[in-house]
Amino acid sequence: IIYTKNYIPMTRLELIERLRKALKDGRFHHVLRVEATAIDLAKKNGVDIEKASIAGLIHDYAKQRPDSDFINEIKQKGLNPDLLNYGNAIWHGIVGAELIKDELNVWDEDILNAVRHHTTGAPVMTKLEQVIYMADYIEPNRDFDGVKKARVITAANLQAGVAYQTKHTLNYLIANGKPIYPKTIDTYNAWVPQYE
Ligand code: GDP
Ligand code: FE
Ligand code: FE
Ligand code: FE
């Protein structure tokens, strides 16, 4: 795949080199698998392949940054101060999108929203956002109870896949006593009763 639409001011191979430097080896290979899975889902769901490739590659760009980078960015960009009550799991998408604007010069809001919402989902998501949310969950190395079912459901119906992931992630967080980011609950209410 060759980038022709100027969503990012570099070639795919230049982007891959940036990611190789920004990420540990395991995480780097994860983003390559998410890209491939996202392209596959994009083809099935009428989504722009170039956007799917870029968003898949960059979705975890900020995952390995120190907490101080996110805290500085939340303050500098005037993001919701409630974000300060969470941690890397929530920050690397929502705040990571701001670091991506600053450092990779991606300005397409659909791609940025796919990064912002890849962990928590959102009540309203474009097809691209749904594709990235699901590709991250079902890429070939994912191995958890229910991942096979998640792949089958997502192949048949992208929205049903979103509902499946949303329900199972919330269940997991509650079972393990983790703090729930309010948007995760909003995602549940918008998707699970309707599409499950
Ligand atoms: P990864 O970056 O490829 O490992 O995957 P994600 O970005 O999708 O998820 C990162 C982590 O965030 C996972 O362990 C999720 O279970 C977790 N997560 C998702 N929603 C929430 C939430 O509302 N609160 C908390 N504390 N963690 C969450
Ligand atoms: Fe992530
Ligand atoms: Fe995810
Ligand atoms: Fe990921």
Side-chain angles (χ1 to χ4, degrees):
I1 162 163
I2 292 173
Y3 296 163
T4 61
K5 294 178 181 162
N6 287 87
Y7 295 128
I8 190 165
M10 63 188 91
T11 67
R12 178 173 172 278
L13 288 177
E14 286 166 345
L15 174 58
I16 285 174
E17 288 315 306
R18 290 287 295 264
L19 294 165
R20 200 197 300 279
K21 284 173 196 143
L23 300 174
K24 289 181 192 147
D25 209 50
R27 181 64 47 181
F28 173 68
H29 287 98
H30 162 70
V31 304
L32 294 178
R33 291 188 298 269
V34 171
E35 182 208 22
T37 307
I39 288 173
D40 179 52
L41 290 175
K43 286 179 179 161
K44 286 188 183 136
N45 290 280
V47 169
D48 187 308
I49 304 300
E50 196 167 327
K51 284 190 185 186
S53 166
I54 294 168
L57 287 172
I58 68 178
H59 79 281
D60 278 338
Y61 172 72
K63 183 92 175 183
Q64 272 141 4
R65 303 286 283 257
D67 287 358
S68 58
D69 284 16
F70 295 110
I71 292 164
N72 288 338
E73 196 76 6
I74 291 165
K75 292 178 178 166
Q76 268 184 29
K77 299 253 172 128
L79 304 185
N80 188 341
D82 179 54
L83 280 167
L84 295 169
N85 297 316
Y86 295 86
N88 180 283
I90 299 302
W91 292 340
H92 80 280
I94 296 170
V95 188
E98 300 300 316
L99 295 166
I100 286 168
K101 280 195 240 175
D102 297 347
E103 299 171 15
L104 300 179
N105 281 290
V106 173
W107 297 99
D108 182 87
E109 279 294 318
D110 194 16
I111 295 174
L112 293 170
N113 281 333
V115 175
R116 288 187 181 107
H117 299 150
H118 85 264
T119 306
T120 63
V124 176
M125 287 192 276
T126 64
K127 290 284 176 196
L128 176 70
E129 293 176 69
Q130 295 173 45
V131 160
I132 299 302
Y133 184 67
M134 292 320 303
D136 189 34
Y137 193 61
I138 64 169
E139 60 95 336
N141 251 44
R142 293 292 195 199
D143 185 18
F144 53 85
D145 282 345
V147 70
K148 283 187 183 157
K149 193 166 181 201
R151 290 188 182 114
V152 170
I153 289 171
T154 305
N157 183 317
L158 183 63
Q159 291 165 310
V162 170
Y164 183 90
Q165 172 176 179
T166 299
K167 181 173 175 173
H168 285 255
T169 299
L170 187 56
N171 246 321
Y172 159 85
L173 293 168
I174 289 170
N176 289 280
K178 306 266 189 198
I180 313 288
Y181 187 60
K183 191 149 209 167
T184 301
I185 311 250
D186 296 341
T187 305
Y188 175 90
N189 281 327
W191 288 88
V192 177
Q194 184 177 358
Y195 288 109
E196 204 203 356

